[in-house]
Structure formats: structure tokens, C-alpha cells
Amino acid sequence: MARPQTHPFHASITHEGVDIVKMDGENGYDHSTGAVVIRVQAGQDVWVRNLGYVTANIVGSLYGSFTGFLLWEA
């Protein structure tokens, strides 16, 4: 979720440094959601990344979440 500001925010779900899905929001407490199913090996990194401005005012706390699920064991 983005707080009111003068520019939109852009974020992505990133796997090993590669943007998998991008999310966007306008200013004024806008929010965005992204979901993706990918194969991830033990030890690999997956995270949510701010693609926009360095000073973007992204709200965390209770307003943001990130989760993953094991669909099957390889």
C-alpha cells in the first residue's frame, strides 16, 4: 500500500533477482496484489521489491504481507 504522494509506486515479486510479476498503485493510499506459482529450490531467494522511486513511501506494518506455500516436495 502506498501513502498519499506525488507519484505512483511499482513493486515486483522477485525470484533470484528476476522480476516475476509486477504490481502498481497510484497515490492516495492505493494498494496492489500479485500472485505467482513458481518452482523454487531450497536456498533460493524470493522477495517483494520496490521498483519505483528510492523515496517511495510504501506502507508496511499491518498493511503488507508476503507468504509462500509448499505445493509438493520434489
Side-chain angles (χ1 to χ4, degrees):
M1 183 171 79
R3 290 186 179 154
Q5 50 196 358
T6 59
H7 51 269
F9 75 91
H10 307 284
S12 73
I13 296 176
T14 303
H15 174 238
E16 292 294 298
V18 176
D19 297 331
I20 304 299
V21 63
K22 294 183 180 178
M23 301 155 290
D24 300 294
E26 297 298 322
N27 56 20
Y29 289 109
D30 201 2
H31 63 278
S32 185
T33 301
V36 63
V37 177
I38 58 174
R39 184 179 303 262
V40 177
Q41 302 298 321
Q44 291 184 330
D45 293 317
V46 178
W47 67 94
V48 176
R49 178 166 77 119
N50 178 8
L51 296 174
Y53 303 90
V54 174
T55 58
N57 200 0
I58 306 297
V59 179
S61 186
L62 301 175
Y63 299 103
S65 64
F66 176 77
T67 189
F69 299 94
L70 176 63
L71 299 178
W72 63 87
E73 194 165 349

Short mmCIF file of all heavy atoms in Angstrom, two decimals:
data_model
loop_
_atom_site.label_atom_id
_atom_site.label_comp_id
_atom_site.label_asym_id
_atom_site.label_seq_id
_atom_site.Cartn_x
_atom_site.Cartn_y
_atom_site.Cartn_z
N MET A 1 0.84 -1.17 0.00
CA MET A 1 0.00 0.00 0.00
C MET A 1 0.89 1.24 0.00
O MET A 1 1.92 1.26 0.67
CB MET A 1 -0.91 0.00 1.23
CG MET A 1 -1.86 1.17 1.24
SD MET A 1 -3.11 1.08 2.52
CE MET A 1 -2.17 1.60 3.93
N ALA A 2 0.48 2.23 -0.74
CA ALA A 2 1.24 3.48 -0.83
C ALA A 2 0.50 4.59 -0.10
O ALA A 2 -0.72 4.72 -0.22
CB ALA A 2 1.44 3.87 -2.28
N ARG A 3 1.23 5.38 0.66
CA ARG A 3 0.66 6.56 1.28
C ARG A 3 0.48 7.64 0.22
O ARG A 3 1.10 7.57 -0.84
CB ARG A 3 1.58 7.07 2.38
CG ARG A 3 1.63 6.16 3.57
CD ARG A 3 2.43 6.80 4.68
NE ARG A 3 2.42 5.91 5.82
CZ ARG A 3 3.36 5.88 6.73
NH1 ARG A 3 4.38 6.70 6.66
NH2 ARG A 3 3.28 5.05 7.74
N PRO A 4 -0.36 8.65 0.50
CA PRO A 4 -0.51 9.74 -0.47
C PRO A 4 0.85 10.38 -0.78
O PRO A 4 1.61 10.71 0.12
CB PRO A 4 -1.42 10.73 0.26
CG PRO A 4 -2.19 9.88 1.20
CD PRO A 4 -1.25 8.80 1.64
N GLN A 5 1.16 10.48 -2.06
CA GLN A 5 2.42 11.05 -2.52
C GLN A 5 2.20 11.58 -3.93
O GLN A 5 1.12 11.45 -4.48
CB GLN A 5 3.53 10.01 -2.48
CG GLN A 5 3.16 8.70 -3.14
CD GLN A 5 4.08 7.58 -2.77
OE1 GLN A 5 5.04 7.76 -2.05
NE2 GLN A 5 3.83 6.40 -3.28
N THR A 6 3.21 12.11 -4.52
CA THR A 6 3.05 12.74 -5.83
C THR A 6 3.33 11.81 -7.00
O THR A 6 3.26 12.23 -8.15
CB THR A 6 3.99 13.96 -5.94
OG1 THR A 6 5.34 13.51 -5.75
CG2 THR A 6 3.64 15.01 -4.90
N HIS A 7 3.65 10.55 -6.73
CA HIS A 7 3.94 9.62 -7.81
C HIS A 7 3.45 8.23 -7.44
O HIS A 7 3.29 7.91 -6.27
CB HIS A 7 5.45 9.59 -8.10
CG HIS A 7 6.28 9.39 -6.88
ND1 HIS A 7 6.77 10.44 -6.15
CD2 HIS A 7 6.69 8.27 -6.25
CE1 HIS A 7 7.46 9.97 -5.11
NE2 HIS A 7 7.42 8.66 -5.17
N PRO A 8 3.18 7.37 -8.42
CA PRO A 8 2.72 6.01 -8.14
C PRO A 8 3.85 5.14 -7.60
O PRO A 8 5.01 5.53 -7.63
CB PRO A 8 2.26 5.51 -9.52
CG PRO A 8 3.08 6.29 -10.48
CD PRO A 8 3.28 7.64 -9.85
N PHE A 9 3.50 3.96 -7.12
CA PHE A 9 4.53 3.02 -6.70
C PHE A 9 4.53 1.83 -7.64
O PHE A 9 3.53 1.50 -8.26
CB PHE A 9 4.35 2.58 -5.24
CG PHE A 9 3.24 1.59 -5.02
CD1 PHE A 9 3.49 0.23 -5.07
CD2 PHE A 9 1.96 2.00 -4.74
CE1 PHE A 9 2.49 -0.69 -4.86
CE2 PHE A 9 0.94 1.10 -4.52
CZ PHE A 9 1.20 -0.25 -4.59
N HIS A 10 5.69 1.18 -7.74
CA HIS A 10 5.86 0.00 -8.57
C HIS A 10 6.67 -1.00 -7.76
O HIS A 10 7.69 -0.66 -7.19
CB HIS A 10 6.61 0.34 -9.86
CG HIS A 10 5.99 1.47 -10.61
ND1 HIS A 10 4.84 1.33 -11.35
CD2 HIS A 10 6.34 2.77 -10.71
CE1 HIS A 10 4.52 2.49 -11.88
NE2 HIS A 10 5.41 3.38 -11.51
N ALA A 11 6.19 -2.24 -7.70
CA ALA A 11 6.88 -3.28 -6.94
C ALA A 11 6.82 -4.57 -7.75
O ALA A 11 6.09 -4.67 -8.74
CB ALA A 11 6.22 -3.48 -5.58
N SER A 12 7.60 -5.56 -7.33
CA SER A 12 7.57 -6.84 -8.02
C SER A 12 7.81 -7.97 -7.02
O SER A 12 8.40 -7.77 -5.97
CB SER A 12 8.63 -6.91 -9.12
OG SER A 12 9.92 -7.03 -8.55
N ILE A 13 7.33 -9.15 -7.39
CA ILE A 13 7.75 -10.37 -6.70
C ILE A 13 8.96 -10.85 -7.49
O ILE A 13 8.89 -11.02 -8.72
CB ILE A 13 6.64 -11.43 -6.69
CG1 ILE A 13 5.44 -10.92 -5.89
CG2 ILE A 13 7.17 -12.75 -6.12
CD1 ILE A 13 4.24 -11.85 -5.91
N THR A 14 10.07 -11.00 -6.80
CA THR A 14 11.36 -11.26 -7.44
C THR A 14 11.90 -12.62 -6.99
O THR A 14 11.87 -12.94 -5.80
CB THR A 14 12.35 -10.14 -7.06
OG1 THR A 14 11.78 -8.89 -7.45
CG2 THR A 14 13.67 -10.31 -7.75
N HIS A 15 12.36 -13.40 -7.94
CA HIS A 15 12.96 -14.71 -7.65
C HIS A 15 14.39 -14.71 -8.17
O HIS A 15 14.60 -14.56 -9.39
CB HIS A 15 12.14 -15.82 -8.30
CG HIS A 15 12.75 -17.17 -8.19
ND1 HIS A 15 13.05 -17.93 -9.30
CD2 HIS A 15 13.13 -17.91 -7.12
CE1 HIS A 15 13.58 -19.07 -8.91
NE2 HIS A 15 13.65 -19.09 -7.59
N GLU A 16 15.33 -14.84 -7.25
CA GLU A 16 16.75 -14.87 -7.62
C GLU A 16 17.13 -13.68 -8.50
O GLU A 16 17.88 -13.82 -9.47
CB GLU A 16 17.09 -16.19 -8.33
CG GLU A 16 17.03 -17.40 -7.42
CD GLU A 16 18.08 -17.38 -6.32
OE1 GLU A 16 19.28 -17.38 -6.62
OE2 GLU A 16 17.68 -17.35 -5.14
N GLY A 17 16.61 -12.50 -8.17
CA GLY A 17 16.96 -11.28 -8.88
C GLY A 17 16.18 -11.02 -10.15
O GLY A 17 16.39 -10.02 -10.83
N VAL A 18 15.25 -11.91 -10.52
CA VAL A 18 14.45 -11.75 -11.73
C VAL A 18 13.02 -11.38 -11.32
O VAL A 18 12.40 -12.09 -10.53
CB VAL A 18 14.43 -13.05 -12.57
CG1 VAL A 18 13.53 -12.91 -13.79
CG2 VAL A 18 15.85 -13.43 -12.99
N ASP A 19 12.50 -10.27 -11.88
CA ASP A 19 11.13 -9.86 -11.58
C ASP A 19 10.17 -10.84 -12.24
O ASP A 19 10.20 -11.04 -13.45
CB ASP A 19 10.87 -8.45 -12.10
CG ASP A 19 11.76 -7.42 -11.41
OD1 ASP A 19 12.13 -7.65 -10.25
OD2 ASP A 19 12.06 -6.39 -12.04
N ILE A 20 9.30 -11.46 -11.43
CA ILE A 20 8.37 -12.47 -11.92
C ILE A 20 7.01 -11.85 -12.23
O ILE A 20 6.39 -12.15 -13.24
CB ILE A 20 8.21 -13.61 -10.90
CG1 ILE A 20 9.58 -14.23 -10.57
CG2 ILE A 20 7.24 -14.67 -11.40
CD1 ILE A 20 10.29 -14.84 -11.75
N VAL A 21 6.52 -11.01 -11.33
CA VAL A 21 5.24 -10.33 -11.54
C VAL A 21 5.38 -8.92 -10.98
O VAL A 21 6.01 -8.71 -9.96
CB VAL A 21 4.06 -11.09 -10.89
CG1 VAL A 21 4.19 -11.16 -9.40
CG2 VAL A 21 2.73 -10.48 -11.27
N LYS A 22 4.81 -7.94 -11.70
CA LYS A 22 4.90 -6.54 -11.26
C LYS A 22 3.55 -6.06 -10.76
O LYS A 22 2.51 -6.50 -11.25
CB LYS A 22 5.40 -5.66 -12.39
CG LYS A 22 6.83 -5.98 -12.77
CD LYS A 22 7.36 -5.06 -13.84
CE LYS A 22 8.80 -5.45 -14.16
NZ LYS A 22 9.36 -4.63 -15.22
N MET A 23 3.60 -5.15 -9.78
CA MET A 23 2.41 -4.58 -9.18
C MET A 23 2.55 -3.07 -9.18
O MET A 23 3.65 -2.56 -9.00
CB MET A 23 2.25 -5.10 -7.75
CG MET A 23 2.13 -6.61 -7.69
SD MET A 23 2.64 -7.33 -6.12
CE MET A 23 4.40 -7.08 -6.14
N ASP A 24 1.46 -2.37 -9.40
CA ASP A 24 1.48 -0.91 -9.47
C ASP A 24 0.35 -0.34 -8.64
O ASP A 24 -0.67 -0.99 -8.42
CB ASP A 24 1.30 -0.43 -10.91
CG ASP A 24 2.39 -0.95 -11.83
OD1 ASP A 24 3.54 -0.54 -11.61
OD2 ASP A 24 2.10 -1.75 -12.71
N GLY A 25 0.51 0.88 -8.20
CA GLY A 25 -0.53 1.60 -7.48
C GLY A 25 -0.37 3.09 -7.66
O GLY A 25 0.74 3.58 -7.83
N GLU A 26 -1.47 3.78 -7.64
CA GLU A 26 -1.44 5.23 -7.74
C GLU A 26 -1.26 5.83 -6.36
O GLU A 26 -1.22 5.11 -5.37
CB GLU A 26 -2.73 5.74 -8.38
CG GLU A 26 -2.93 5.27 -9.81
CD GLU A 26 -1.83 5.75 -10.76
OE1 GLU A 26 -1.37 6.90 -10.61
OE2 GLU A 26 -1.43 4.97 -11.62
N ASN A 27 -1.20 7.13 -6.28
CA ASN A 27 -1.04 7.78 -4.99
C ASN A 27 -2.39 7.81 -4.25
O ASN A 27 -3.42 7.52 -4.82
CB ASN A 27 -0.47 9.19 -5.14
CG ASN A 27 -1.30 10.05 -6.06
OD1 ASN A 27 -2.47 9.77 -6.31
ND2 ASN A 27 -0.71 11.11 -6.58
N GLY A 28 -2.38 8.10 -2.97
CA GLY A 28 -3.61 8.22 -2.19
C GLY A 28 -4.04 6.93 -1.53
O GLY A 28 -5.18 6.51 -1.70
N TYR A 29 -3.17 6.26 -0.81
CA TYR A 29 -3.47 5.01 -0.12
C TYR A 29 -3.97 3.93 -1.07
O TYR A 29 -4.91 3.20 -0.78
CB TYR A 29 -4.48 5.23 1.02
CG TYR A 29 -3.88 5.98 2.19
CD1 TYR A 29 -4.26 7.28 2.46
CD2 TYR A 29 -2.93 5.38 2.99
CE1 TYR A 29 -3.70 7.98 3.51
CE2 TYR A 29 -2.37 6.06 4.05
CZ TYR A 29 -2.75 7.36 4.31
OH TYR A 29 -2.20 8.03 5.35
N ASP A 30 -3.36 3.83 -2.22
CA ASP A 30 -3.69 2.78 -3.17
C ASP A 30 -2.94 1.51 -2.78
O ASP A 30 -1.94 1.54 -2.07
CB ASP A 30 -3.30 3.21 -4.59
CG ASP A 30 -4.05 2.43 -5.66
OD1 ASP A 30 -4.88 1.58 -5.29
OD2 ASP A 30 -3.80 2.67 -6.85
N HIS A 31 -3.41 0.37 -3.26
CA HIS A 31 -2.75 -0.90 -2.96
C HIS A 31 -2.73 -1.77 -4.21
O HIS A 31 -3.42 -1.48 -5.19
CB HIS A 31 -3.46 -1.62 -1.81
CG HIS A 31 -4.87 -2.01 -2.15
ND1 HIS A 31 -5.91 -1.12 -2.05
CD2 HIS A 31 -5.40 -3.15 -2.61
CE1 HIS A 31 -7.03 -1.71 -2.42
NE2 HIS A 31 -6.75 -2.94 -2.78
N SER A 32 -1.95 -2.83 -4.15
CA SER A 32 -1.82 -3.72 -5.29
C SER A 32 -1.54 -5.13 -4.77
O SER A 32 -1.00 -5.31 -3.68
CB SER A 32 -0.68 -3.26 -6.19
OG SER A 32 -0.61 -4.05 -7.35
N THR A 33 -1.92 -6.12 -5.56
CA THR A 33 -1.72 -7.51 -5.19
C THR A 33 -1.14 -8.26 -6.37
O THR A 33 -1.51 -8.01 -7.51
CB THR A 33 -3.07 -8.16 -4.81
OG1 THR A 33 -3.64 -7.45 -3.72
CG2 THR A 33 -2.89 -9.61 -4.43
N GLY A 34 -0.24 -9.18 -6.10
CA GLY A 34 0.31 -10.02 -7.14
C GLY A 34 0.43 -11.45 -6.63
O GLY A 34 0.68 -11.67 -5.46
N ALA A 35 0.22 -12.42 -7.50
CA ALA A 35 0.34 -13.82 -7.13
C ALA A 35 1.00 -14.57 -8.29
O ALA A 35 0.76 -14.26 -9.45
CB ALA A 35 -1.01 -14.43 -6.83
N VAL A 36 1.80 -15.54 -7.94
CA VAL A 36 2.50 -16.31 -8.96
C VAL A 36 2.83 -17.69 -8.39
O VAL A 36 3.03 -17.84 -7.18
CB VAL A 36 3.79 -15.58 -9.42
CG1 VAL A 36 4.77 -15.43 -8.29
CG2 VAL A 36 4.43 -16.26 -10.60
N VAL A 37 2.85 -18.70 -9.24
CA VAL A 37 3.28 -20.04 -8.85
C VAL A 37 4.56 -20.32 -9.60
O VAL A 37 4.58 -20.30 -10.84
CB VAL A 37 2.20 -21.11 -9.18
CG1 VAL A 37 2.71 -22.50 -8.84
CG2 VAL A 37 0.90 -20.81 -8.46
N ILE A 38 5.65 -20.54 -8.87
CA ILE A 38 6.95 -20.81 -9.49
C ILE A 38 7.63 -21.97 -8.76
O ILE A 38 7.31 -22.25 -7.61
CB ILE A 38 7.88 -19.58 -9.49
CG1 ILE A 38 8.11 -19.08 -8.06
CG2 ILE A 38 7.33 -18.49 -10.37
CD1 ILE A 38 9.13 -17.97 -7.96
N ARG A 39 8.55 -22.59 -9.43
CA ARG A 39 9.35 -23.65 -8.80
C ARG A 39 10.56 -23.00 -8.14
O ARG A 39 11.32 -22.29 -8.79
CB ARG A 39 9.82 -24.66 -9.84
CG ARG A 39 10.57 -25.84 -9.24
CD ARG A 39 10.99 -26.83 -10.31
NE ARG A 39 9.86 -27.31 -11.07
CZ ARG A 39 9.23 -28.48 -10.83
NH1 ARG A 39 9.66 -29.25 -9.87
NH2 ARG A 39 8.22 -28.84 -11.58
N VAL A 40 10.72 -23.25 -6.84
CA VAL A 40 11.83 -22.68 -6.07
C VAL A 40 12.57 -23.82 -5.39
O VAL A 40 11.95 -24.70 -4.79
CB VAL A 40 11.30 -21.68 -5.02
CG1 VAL A 40 12.43 -21.14 -4.17
CG2 VAL A 40 10.54 -20.55 -5.69
N GLN A 41 13.88 -23.80 -5.51
CA GLN A 41 14.71 -24.81 -4.87
C GLN A 41 15.15 -24.31 -3.49
O GLN A 41 15.21 -23.11 -3.25
CB GLN A 41 15.95 -25.09 -5.73
CG GLN A 41 15.62 -25.56 -7.14
CD GLN A 41 14.85 -26.87 -7.16
OE1 GLN A 41 15.12 -27.78 -6.38
NE2 GLN A 41 13.90 -26.97 -8.07
N ALA A 42 15.46 -25.24 -2.60
CA ALA A 42 15.95 -24.88 -1.27
C ALA A 42 17.16 -23.96 -1.39
O ALA A 42 18.04 -24.18 -2.22
CB ALA A 42 16.33 -26.14 -0.48
N GLY A 43 17.16 -22.87 -0.62
CA GLY A 43 18.27 -21.93 -0.62
C GLY A 43 18.09 -20.76 -1.58
O GLY A 43 18.87 -19.81 -1.54
N GLN A 44 17.11 -20.83 -2.48
CA GLN A 44 16.87 -19.71 -3.39
C GLN A 44 16.07 -18.62 -2.68
O GLN A 44 15.36 -18.89 -1.71
CB GLN A 44 16.13 -20.18 -4.64
CG GLN A 44 16.97 -21.05 -5.53
CD GLN A 44 16.25 -21.42 -6.81
OE1 GLN A 44 15.02 -21.54 -6.84
NE2 GLN A 44 17.02 -21.63 -7.87
N ASP A 45 16.17 -17.40 -3.17
CA ASP A 45 15.52 -16.25 -2.56
C ASP A 45 14.32 -15.78 -3.38
O ASP A 45 14.40 -15.72 -4.61
CB ASP A 45 16.49 -15.08 -2.41
CG ASP A 45 17.60 -15.38 -1.42
OD1 ASP A 45 17.30 -15.95 -0.36
OD2 ASP A 45 18.76 -15.04 -1.72
N VAL A 46 13.24 -15.45 -2.68
CA VAL A 46 12.06 -14.84 -3.26
C VAL A 46 11.69 -13.68 -2.35
O VAL A 46 11.65 -13.84 -1.13
CB VAL A 46 10.88 -15.83 -3.37
CG1 VAL A 46 9.64 -15.15 -3.94
CG2 VAL A 46 11.26 -17.04 -4.20
N TRP A 47 11.42 -12.49 -2.93
CA TRP A 47 11.08 -11.34 -2.10
C TRP A 47 10.24 -10.35 -2.88
O TRP A 47 10.10 -10.46 -4.09
CB TRP A 47 12.34 -10.67 -1.56
CG TRP A 47 13.22 -10.00 -2.58
CD1 TRP A 47 13.18 -8.69 -2.96
CD2 TRP A 47 14.26 -10.59 -3.37
NE1 TRP A 47 14.14 -8.43 -3.92
CE2 TRP A 47 14.81 -9.59 -4.20
CE3 TRP A 47 14.77 -11.88 -3.46
CZ2 TRP A 47 15.84 -9.83 -5.08
CZ3 TRP A 47 15.80 -12.11 -4.36
CH2 TRP A 47 16.32 -11.10 -5.13
N VAL A 48 9.67 -9.38 -2.15
CA VAL A 48 8.94 -8.28 -2.77
C VAL A 48 9.90 -7.11 -2.84
O VAL A 48 10.54 -6.77 -1.84
CB VAL A 48 7.68 -7.91 -1.98
CG1 VAL A 48 7.00 -6.69 -2.59
CG2 VAL A 48 6.73 -9.09 -1.93
N ARG A 49 10.00 -6.48 -4.01
CA ARG A 49 10.98 -5.43 -4.24
C ARG A 49 10.31 -4.15 -4.72
O ARG A 49 9.40 -4.19 -5.54
CB ARG A 49 11.98 -5.91 -5.28
CG ARG A 49 13.05 -4.94 -5.66
CD ARG A 49 14.14 -5.64 -6.43
NE ARG A 49 13.76 -5.91 -7.80
CZ ARG A 49 14.40 -5.42 -8.85
NH1 ARG A 49 15.44 -4.62 -8.69
NH2 ARG A 49 14.02 -5.72 -10.06
N ASN A 50 10.74 -3.02 -4.18
CA ASN A 50 10.28 -1.71 -4.64
C ASN A 50 11.01 -1.37 -5.93
O ASN A 50 12.22 -1.24 -5.94
CB ASN A 50 10.55 -0.66 -3.56
CG ASN A 50 10.15 0.73 -3.96
OD1 ASN A 50 9.53 0.92 -5.00
ND2 ASN A 50 10.49 1.70 -3.16
N LEU A 51 10.27 -1.22 -7.03
CA LEU A 51 10.87 -0.90 -8.32
C LEU A 51 10.86 0.59 -8.61
O LEU A 51 11.45 1.03 -9.58
CB LEU A 51 10.11 -1.61 -9.45
CG LEU A 51 10.14 -3.12 -9.44
CD1 LEU A 51 9.23 -3.65 -10.53
CD2 LEU A 51 11.55 -3.63 -9.62
N GLY A 52 10.14 1.34 -7.80
CA GLY A 52 9.94 2.74 -8.09
C GLY A 52 11.02 3.62 -7.53
O GLY A 52 12.20 3.28 -7.52
N TYR A 53 10.60 4.72 -7.05
CA TYR A 53 11.48 5.75 -6.54
C TYR A 53 12.14 5.31 -5.23
O TYR A 53 11.52 4.63 -4.42
CB TYR A 53 10.70 7.03 -6.31
CG TYR A 53 10.00 7.51 -7.55
CD1 TYR A 53 8.71 7.09 -7.84
CD2 TYR A 53 10.65 8.35 -8.44
CE1 TYR A 53 8.07 7.51 -8.99
CE2 TYR A 53 10.01 8.77 -9.59
CZ TYR A 53 8.72 8.35 -9.86
OH TYR A 53 8.10 8.76 -10.99
N VAL A 54 13.36 5.71 -5.03
CA VAL A 54 14.07 5.37 -3.79
C VAL A 54 13.33 5.92 -2.58
O VAL A 54 13.30 5.31 -1.53
CB VAL A 54 15.52 5.90 -3.84
CG1 VAL A 54 16.23 5.69 -2.52
CG2 VAL A 54 16.28 5.25 -4.97
N THR A 55 12.69 7.06 -2.74
CA THR A 55 11.99 7.70 -1.62
C THR A 55 10.51 7.34 -1.58
O THR A 55 9.75 7.97 -0.87
CB THR A 55 12.13 9.23 -1.71
OG1 THR A 55 11.59 9.66 -2.96
CG2 THR A 55 13.57 9.67 -1.59
N ALA A 56 10.09 6.33 -2.34
CA ALA A 56 8.67 5.95 -2.35
C ALA A 56 8.21 5.62 -0.94
O ALA A 56 8.91 4.98 -0.17
CB ALA A 56 8.45 4.76 -3.27
N ASN A 57 7.04 6.07 -0.59
CA ASN A 57 6.50 5.91 0.76
C ASN A 57 5.61 4.68 0.82
O ASN A 57 4.39 4.77 0.80
CB ASN A 57 5.74 7.18 1.14
CG ASN A 57 5.56 7.31 2.63
OD1 ASN A 57 6.00 6.47 3.39
ND2 ASN A 57 4.92 8.36 3.04
N ILE A 58 6.22 3.51 0.87
CA ILE A 58 5.48 2.25 0.92
C ILE A 58 5.16 1.93 2.38
O ILE A 58 6.03 1.99 3.24
CB ILE A 58 6.30 1.10 0.30
CG1 ILE A 58 6.75 1.45 -1.12
CG2 ILE A 58 5.52 -0.19 0.34
CD1 ILE A 58 5.64 1.67 -2.10
N VAL A 59 3.91 1.57 2.64
CA VAL A 59 3.46 1.26 4.00
C VAL A 59 3.66 -0.23 4.25
O VAL A 59 3.24 -1.06 3.46
CB VAL A 59 1.98 1.64 4.18
CG1 VAL A 59 1.51 1.30 5.57
CG2 VAL A 59 1.77 3.11 3.88
N GLY A 60 4.29 -0.57 5.34
CA GLY A 60 4.46 -1.96 5.74
C GLY A 60 3.55 -2.27 6.90
O GLY A 60 2.34 -2.18 6.80
N SER A 61 4.15 -2.58 8.03
CA SER A 61 3.42 -2.84 9.27
C SER A 61 2.32 -3.86 9.03
O SER A 61 2.56 -4.92 8.48
CB SER A 61 2.86 -1.53 9.83
OG SER A 61 2.28 -1.75 11.10
N LEU A 62 1.10 -3.56 9.42
CA LEU A 62 -0.01 -4.49 9.27
C LEU A 62 -0.66 -4.41 7.89
O LEU A 62 -1.62 -5.12 7.62
CB LEU A 62 -1.06 -4.23 10.35
CG LEU A 62 -0.56 -4.35 11.79
CD1 LEU A 62 -1.65 -3.93 12.76
CD2 LEU A 62 -0.09 -5.76 12.08
N TYR A 63 -0.16 -3.54 7.01
CA TYR A 63 -0.78 -3.33 5.72
C TYR A 63 -0.15 -4.14 4.60
O TYR A 63 -0.66 -4.16 3.50
CB TYR A 63 -0.73 -1.84 5.35
CG TYR A 63 -1.46 -0.99 6.34
CD1 TYR A 63 -0.76 -0.24 7.28
CD2 TYR A 63 -2.84 -0.93 6.35
CE1 TYR A 63 -1.43 0.55 8.20
CE2 TYR A 63 -3.51 -0.15 7.27
CZ TYR A 63 -2.81 0.59 8.18
OH TYR A 63 -3.47 1.35 9.09
N GLY A 64 0.94 -4.79 4.84
CA GLY A 64 1.61 -5.56 3.81
C GLY A 64 1.87 -6.98 4.28
O GLY A 64 2.06 -7.23 5.47
N SER A 65 1.86 -7.92 3.36
CA SER A 65 2.16 -9.31 3.72
C SER A 65 2.79 -10.02 2.53
O SER A 65 2.63 -9.61 1.38
CB SER A 65 0.91 -10.05 4.19
OG SER A 65 -0.02 -10.15 3.13
N PHE A 66 3.50 -11.07 2.82
CA PHE A 66 4.13 -11.90 1.81
C PHE A 66 4.15 -13.31 2.36
O PHE A 66 4.51 -13.52 3.52
CB PHE A 66 5.56 -11.41 1.53
CG PHE A 66 6.31 -12.27 0.55
CD1 PHE A 66 6.05 -12.18 -0.81
CD2 PHE A 66 7.26 -13.17 0.98
CE1 PHE A 66 6.74 -12.96 -1.71
CE2 PHE A 66 7.95 -13.96 0.09
CZ PHE A 66 7.69 -13.85 -1.26
N THR A 67 3.76 -14.27 1.56
CA THR A 67 3.73 -15.65 2.04
C THR A 67 4.03 -16.61 0.90
O THR A 67 3.91 -16.26 -0.27
CB THR A 67 2.37 -15.98 2.69
OG1 THR A 67 2.44 -17.24 3.34
CG2 THR A 67 1.25 -16.01 1.66
N GLY A 68 4.42 -17.83 1.24
CA GLY A 68 4.67 -18.86 0.25
C GLY A 68 4.16 -20.19 0.78
O GLY A 68 3.99 -20.38 1.99
N PHE A 69 3.90 -21.13 -0.12
CA PHE A 69 3.37 -22.43 0.25
C PHE A 69 4.14 -23.52 -0.48
O PHE A 69 4.45 -23.38 -1.67
CB PHE A 69 1.89 -22.55 -0.14
CG PHE A 69 1.02 -21.52 0.54
CD1 PHE A 69 0.72 -20.33 -0.09
CD2 PHE A 69 0.51 -21.76 1.80
CE1 PHE A 69 -0.07 -19.39 0.52
CE2 PHE A 69 -0.30 -20.83 2.42
CZ PHE A 69 -0.59 -19.64 1.78
N LEU A 70 4.37 -24.61 0.20
CA LEU A 70 4.96 -25.79 -0.41
C LEU A 70 3.83 -26.59 -1.05
O LEU A 70 2.95 -27.10 -0.36
CB LEU A 70 5.69 -26.64 0.63
CG LEU A 70 6.28 -27.96 0.13
CD1 LEU A 70 7.36 -27.68 -0.92
CD2 LEU A 70 6.84 -28.76 1.29
N LEU A 71 3.82 -26.67 -2.39
CA LEU A 71 2.76 -27.38 -3.09
C LEU A 71 3.06 -28.87 -3.20
O LEU A 71 2.16 -29.69 -3.18
CB LEU A 71 2.54 -26.79 -4.48
CG LEU A 71 2.11 -25.32 -4.51
CD1 LEU A 71 1.96 -24.84 -5.94
CD2 LEU A 71 0.81 -25.13 -3.73
N TRP A 72 4.32 -29.22 -3.37
CA TRP A 72 4.73 -30.61 -3.38
C TRP A 72 6.22 -30.66 -3.11
O TRP A 72 6.95 -29.72 -3.37
CB TRP A 72 4.42 -31.31 -4.70
CG TRP A 72 5.14 -30.74 -5.89
CD1 TRP A 72 6.38 -31.09 -6.32
CD2 TRP A 72 4.67 -29.74 -6.78
NE1 TRP A 72 6.73 -30.33 -7.42
CE2 TRP A 72 5.69 -29.51 -7.73
CE3 TRP A 72 3.49 -29.01 -6.87
CZ2 TRP A 72 5.55 -28.58 -8.74
CZ3 TRP A 72 3.37 -28.09 -7.89
CH2 TRP A 72 4.39 -27.89 -8.81
N GLU A 73 6.66 -31.75 -2.55
CA GLU A 73 8.08 -31.91 -2.23
C GLU A 73 8.77 -32.66 -3.36
O GLU A 73 8.34 -33.73 -3.76
CB GLU A 73 8.24 -32.68 -0.92
CG GLU A 73 9.61 -32.59 -0.36
CD GLU A 73 9.67 -33.04 1.09
OE1 GLU A 73 8.62 -33.21 1.71
OE2 GLU A 73 10.79 -33.23 1.59
N ALA A 74 9.80 -32.03 -3.91
CA ALA A 74 10.50 -32.62 -5.06
C ALA A 74 11.51 -33.64 -4.62
O ALA A 74 12.02 -33.66 -3.56
CB ALA A 74 11.20 -31.52 -5.85
#
